[in-house]
Amino acid sequence: PLEAADAHVHLARLCAQTEDDIAGARLHCEAALRLSPDQPDALLLLGELCHRGGEHLRALKALDRLREVSMARHELDRVGQADLLAGRVWEEGLKQPENALLRYREAVSLLPGEPEPLFASARVAEGLGRLQEALSGYQQALELAGPAPRSESVRHAAHESHHALARLSRTKLGDPARAREHLEAALALDPRDAVALDELIPYFRVTGRSQELAEALEKAAALQDAPGK
């Protein structure tokens, strides 16, 4: 049964990723859980699929079960993953940022080397007006991500953290120079960052930074020439 359950989870992932077949993926998850009721990967994926399908309370039920199972097995990284996804359900699905922040904070404590929970908690804290917590979270996310993020999700967290710190430096801290530093760092992570380019090109032109201006103009031209533009 365990091998069959694993096979259903694998098929569920294929349905969700390659065919965008949420209903088919859920059927495979449910089949896996009939064979092995506490299969962690099936519970996590079911939570994700229910969230994507708009069944947010059902998603939380699957994730709460995953937290119980993982706590009993002392698999704290899995508890953290469940918290991270539950935070998204509360934030994006149920629009309850206070509950989302509680889950994200717990994920931060359980996944100490991961930038994504820090970025998520900072984003929600900023929305709730908790400036110090937001600034600290974004900064720590960047420190953990480092200059060469190890995955696309870490790169995204770092890129968005730079944008958030640029925005807060400009609007809350009155530090436009620091804001531009964060925009340059964001552009280094994503050369297709039109928002950063739009702000940096005039600045490079006015301050005579000709090499940076040439590189930025080249990136902007590549964006204009990109298919779909």
Side-chain angles (χ1 to χ4, degrees), residues 80 83-84 91 100-101 103-126 130 132-146 150 153-154 156-158 160-161 164-165:
D83 279 323
L84 189 56
E91 180 189 4
L101 188 55
R103 285 300 176 87
Y104 286 146
R105 283 173 178 162
E106 185 167 274
V108 167
S109 69
L110 293 170
L111 301 168
E114 297 296 326
E116 292 102 319
L118 282 160
F119 165 65
S121 64
R123 180 183 63 223
V124 175
E126 183 188 351
R130 296 175 183 171
Q132 284 310 122
E133 184 175 356
L135 288 169
S136 171
Y138 289 134
Q139 200 60 54
Q140 287 178 66
L142 289 176
E143 287 165 13
L144 285 175
R150 64 183 181 274
S153 61
V154 172
H156 173 75
E160 292 301 311
S161 292
L165 286 169

Side-chain angles (χ1 to χ4, degrees), residues 8 43 47-48 78 116 118 132 158 165 176 186-187 189 217 224:
H8 276 297
L43 288 167
E48 171 79 42
R78 281 197 190 276
E116 292 102 319
L118 282 160
Q132 284 310 122
L165 286 169
L187 187 60
L189 288 171
L217 288 170
Q224 293 299 320

